[in-house]
Amino acid sequence: YITPTAITIITLSIIMGTILTMSSSNWLMAWIGLELNMLATLPIISKPKTTRASEATIKYFLTQAIASAMMLLSSTTNAWQTGNWDILELKNKFSTTIMALSLMMKMGAAPVHFWLPEVLQGTTLQTALLITTWQKLAPITLMYMISNNIQPALLMSAGVLSMVVGGLGGINQTQLRKTMAYSSINNLGWTIMIMALSPNLAIMNITIYIIMTTPVFLMMKNTSMKTLQNLTTTWTTSTAMTLSIALLMLSTSGLPPFTGFMPKMLALNELITQKLTTLATLAIMTSLISLLFYLRIAYLIMMLTPP
């Protein structure tokens, strides 16, 4: 049992940590914000007294700690070479690469995504919502700030890899939390890929994803859905909610005329404008893979809903 005082302190720390990171211009302050945020999240993940939750907490802690160490290494190397701790002055090639990888690890993008599905599966739906939405704000803001200095090839290859991993990983899942984790990796892929060309578009993409995924998690919590099996039985008790989940899933997959189609269309438009047609084709192909598992969820709901 966590006391109300502890809950207040934890909530404030999570909010303060993210705000501190997002508003700082110095690498050390940004790092402190991320650490504060991470340490406050640990008791929340370990709140259910199960071995699974404890395992998830350890996995989360270790990956975030490694990412933090990489972040310190990167900023220190840069400060050592340039004499500058300013976030916007990350000019050293080695530093930018290590920093980009560290931020990808913090938000759970491929190739350092391995912790995300495991941690989400081991925790409650509210915590899963926190990790897939709020916890991504700070690293994405930092990536946005240094996007001019990261090699575009790194961002684009990580983006495509995330799309492939997110698509293929989600296909075989029956657990909804793991499906949502792979959905998150897939969407991060789009965000990271377009970050190289149009950072503002990347921010729009992740914002729309957060707006769409929040109600899905809240409705899953409300009807205590955990597996695809539950999904097929909940329409009897809450039809409107189950239908909403189906529509939100289709939207997240990027099908027109839903909202989720817009950022993908703009991203593809940007890629083609920059003469990166091969990358655009690759992105569409990987989007088809992920469409498979979104459609499966929507199909299960639509087919079993009474006329």
Side-chain angles (χ1 to χ4, degrees), residues 44 89 95 100 138 184 194 204 208:
I44 296 181
E89 296 296 318
S95 290
S184 166
I194 209 62
M204 188 191 87
I208 289 178

Side-chain angles (χ1 to χ4, degrees), residues 107-109 136 140 184-193 206:
M107 54 183 140
K136 294 201 185 333
I140 284 180
S184 166
I185 294 168
N186 180 47
N187 271 281
L188 274 176
W190 282 90
T191 306
I192 289 171
M193 179 185 71
I206 197 71

Side-chain angles (χ1 to χ4, degrees), residues 258-271:
F258 297 103
T259 318
F261 172 63
M262 183 179 61
K264 286 190 177 175
M265 186 189 68
L266 291 172
L268 292 172
N269 180 42
E270 187 67 34
L271 287 171

Side-chain angles (χ1 to χ4, degrees), residues 123-138:
T123 187
T124 60
L125 282 165
Q126 295 116 298
T127 317
L129 170 65
L130 177 78
I131 293 170
T132 45
T133 55
W134 183 262
Q135 296 296 79
K136 294 201 185 333
L137 297 180

